[in-house]
Amino acid sequence: MSEPGSLRLERGAAGDRLVVAGDWTLDHLPRLLGAARALAPGDAGARAIDARGLGRLDTAGASLLLELGASPEGADGSWSEPQRALLAAVARAGETPPAHAAPTNGLADVLAHAGRAVATFVRDTLALLGFVGLILSALARTLPRPRRWRVTSLVFHIEQAGLDAVPIVALLSFSIGAVVAFLGATVLREFGATVFTVELLGISFLREFGVLLTAIMVAGRSGSAFTAQIGSMKAREEVDAIRTLGLSPIEVLALPRVLALLVAMPLLTFIAMMAGVFGGAIVGMLALDISPALFVSRFQATTVIDHFWVGMSKAPVFAFLIASIGCLEGFKVSGSAESVGAHTTSSVVQSIFTVILVDALAALFYLELDI
């Protein structure tokens, strides 16, 4: 005959004890939990347990008895052998096994980390090359069909990536030009050759600094914006909706941004070159006693046009790479805000790394061509 489980506290001269009786099974667990909660905080876990009246016992009842302070190794002898075995098994099941730290090898860990980094680099490079192919194929399909041109989107992104970036690019280039002129003149003054600061400014800004500073600014400003915009659309499943409508996300989202940056980047590069040279001219006039007329005449006489074209030739390449990386990282977003932030950061890092790497290769290439 099944008897519902019960729990009561008995106080005596020899000490208090918890008396359990009846069936402690899953069917009676709600009632037993209520009785256990009714005990005072000091009454559970600190008293002996009398289980001589205990009937049937299952894992649910054994778990509650263990919470009340029952021990299968109790000295009172009130547990039957099956009950003692069940309590011991439930107690072992609830124990957390000790964590054994895997043996580490410093050199192996370094090599494993390097291997993962190389594998990630190769995977990202192949993904970028594949994405570049998709952009070029979309461009080839779209150019012969003017009705598929997205002029409104193109103009909007030209304004966002180009026109809105003019103040920060011009200010940064002006400041760097002033610093380069001041530091260059400080060194050249020791040789009585401060006038050569004009050549230093012309070559450095027309050939390297103008396009490189612009590319870094665009990567941090526009490339990250492309990733965040497309990533947010990916998180809201708007990219899937574009595919559902039978449109290509590459053609709708990536192509206008790439073309906009191809238009805006050379213009920003030209502005950066002029701002940097102007900043150096201001420093020359105020601190080096180089008059504006002397600066302009020497600049025209000593700076060849090849330096200008070398710098401008890099601008479209950098623009295409920055826009491609920004859009690709946006399409990689998995759907959460954390993913958007991670891929935005990755976009900026990859863009700046790629720009510096390509700039170094271009410098070696033009050096071999003696330009």
Side-chain angles (χ1 to χ4, degrees):
M1 187 69 179
S2 177
E3 180 182 351
S6 63
L7 169 67
R8 71 178 186 276
L9 176 64
E10 290 186 354
R11 302 185 183 275
D16 300 341
R17 64 177 181 172
L18 294 175
V19 179
V20 297
D23 295 341
W24 281 56
T25 59
L26 183 61
D27 295 337
H28 307 298
L29 188 61
R31 177 183 177 186
L32 294 172
L33 287 173
R37 293 192 191 100
L39 294 174
D43 292 337
R47 302 289 187 271
I49 295 181
D50 183 357
R52 285 173 293 185
L54 183 63
R56 291 189 301 164
L57 180 66
D58 62 7
T59 55
S63 178
L64 180 57
L65 285 172
L66 291 172
E67 293 179 9
L68 293 173
S71 172
E73 294 83 14
D76 54 9
S78 61
W79 305 109
S80 66
E81 193 59 33
Q83 293 169 352
R84 191 186 304 275
L86 180 59
L87 285 170
V90 173
R92 286 194 302 269
E95 293 177 355
T96 302
H100 298 287
T104 59
N105 186 316
L107 179 59
D109 291 343
V110 171
L111 293 177
H113 182 75
R116 288 191 295 268
V118 172
T120 301
F121 175 77
V122 172
R123 184 172 63 251
D124 291 342
T125 302
L126 293 177
L128 178 60
L129 291 176
F131 190 73
V132 167
L134 291 175
I135 292 176
L136 293 177
S137 64
L139 184 63
R141 290 194 307 268
T142 305
L143 282 180
R145 303 174 183 176
R147 295 182 60 183
R148 298 178 64 174
W149 295 356
R150 301 184 177 276
V151 180
T152 303
S153 178
L154 177 63
V155 172
F156 170 77
H157 289 299
I158 290 176
E159 178 186 1
Q160 184 186 54
L163 185 60
D164 293 347
V166 168
I168 185 64
V169 170
L171 178 60
L172 178 66
S173 299
F174 178 87
S175 302
I176 298 296
V179 171
V180 169
F182 184 78
L183 293 178
T186 301
V187 176
L188 293 173
R189 184 182 288 114
E190 298 180 4
F191 305 97
T194 54
V195 72
F196 289 103
T197 305
V198 179
E199 286 90 325
L200 174 64
L201 278 170
I203 295 174
S204 61
F205 265 88
L206 295 184
R207 196 179 185 96
E208 293 293 339
F209 282 169
V211 65
L212 193 58
L213 290 173
T214 303
I216 292 174
M217 287 300 301
V218 169
R221 184 183 180 278
S222 301
S224 61
F226 293 168
T227 303
Q229 290 164 0
I230 297 178
S232 299
M233 296 180 68
K234 184 79 179 297
R236 294 193 298 264
E237 299 182 353
E238 294 178 25
V239 176
D240 295 333
I242 291 174
R243 291 194 180 96
T244 303
L245 294 174
L247 301 174
S248 169
I250 303 296
E251 183 178 331
V252 174
L253 300 178
L255 198 56
R257 288 173 168 82
V258 173
L259 294 177
L261 213 56
L262 284 172
V263 173
M265 185 79 174
L267 300 177
L268 290 174
T269 299
F270 178 78
I271 293 173
M273 291 176 179
M274 296 302 102
V277 173
F278 181 68
I282 294 296
V283 170
M285 180 180 65
L286 297 178
L288 307 177
D289 295 328
I290 300 176
S291 65
L294 176 60
F295 187 96
V296 172
S297 62
R298 189 165 183 84
F299 187 85
Q300 291 177 339
T302 60
T303 307
V304 296
I305 194 65
D306 290 345
H307 299 313
F308 173 77
W309 291 119
V310 166
M312 291 299 294
S313 66
K314 301 176 188 177
V317 179
F318 291 169
F320 186 82
L321 291 174
I322 292 170
S324 299
I325 293 172
C327 294
L328 174 60
E329 289 300 312
F331 284 116
K332 286 182 180 179
V333 171
S334 60
S336 63
E338 181 182 1
S339 179
V340 174
H343 285 285
T344 301
T345 303
S346 177
S347 169
V348 176
V349 173
Q350 290 186 44
S351 298
I352 294 177
F353 172 79
T354 304
V355 162
I356 295 175
L357 177 63
V358 173
D359 184 70
L361 296 176
L364 295 176
F365 175 75
Y366 286 121
L367 183 64
E368 289 295 324
L369 294 180
D370 196 20
I371 299 178

